[in-house]
Amino acid sequence: MLKLLSKIAGIGVITEPLPEPADELCLRQSMQADILAVMGRALCIRQVDAGSCNGCELEIHALNNPYYNIEGSGIKFVASPRHADLLLVTGPVSKHMEIALKRTYDATPDPKLVVAVGDCGCGGGVFGESYASCGRVSNVIPVNVAVPGCPPSPTRILQGILTAIKTRTA
Ligand code: SF4
């Protein structure tokens, strides 16, 4: 036994050091602390597709996979705007969605936050304004934070959500 212990002491630790945590993990940990500090509970998000090509939805869908573990960070997507703290809106707002988006905004309890996602949500994108499109989300409802990109990555969307939460304390 003593021989074994002296051998272990002589060799020392030969395993590789742990890798640095990924950026997303650091962001997630700081986000969880911020959400708890501001909200005191989970952040509930209602996502609204106001006319997107669904590219942004794919990134939001990816944000919900186990890698990002957003539920573990205190972020939850809900089915009703009445249960939501934040609206995550994609796409240029099509004329057909204009009233629906306004009603969704009105149904969300104050103080509410709105994050516009993607180049279309931020500025109308390739669709712009036309007989069929109202353009950017802020043409229809107030927007707190815009997340550009076509589409923005899940990490960029997370950063946008975090920025919106911080505006509550500002
Ligand atoms: S920003 Fe790009 S991915 Fe998102 S809805 Fe517009 S065209 Fe589609």
Side-chain angles (χ1 to χ4, degrees), residues 52-56 90-92 117-121 126-127 149-152:
S52 93
C53 73
N54 283 155
C56 287
T90 60
V117 175
D119 285 350
C120 294
V126 291
F127 302 102
C150 182

Side-chain angles (χ1 to χ4, degrees), residues 52-64:
S52 93
C53 73
N54 283 155
C56 287
E57 272 66 31
L58 288 175
E59 298 303 314
I60 293 169
H61 194 253
L63 183 59
N64 279 277

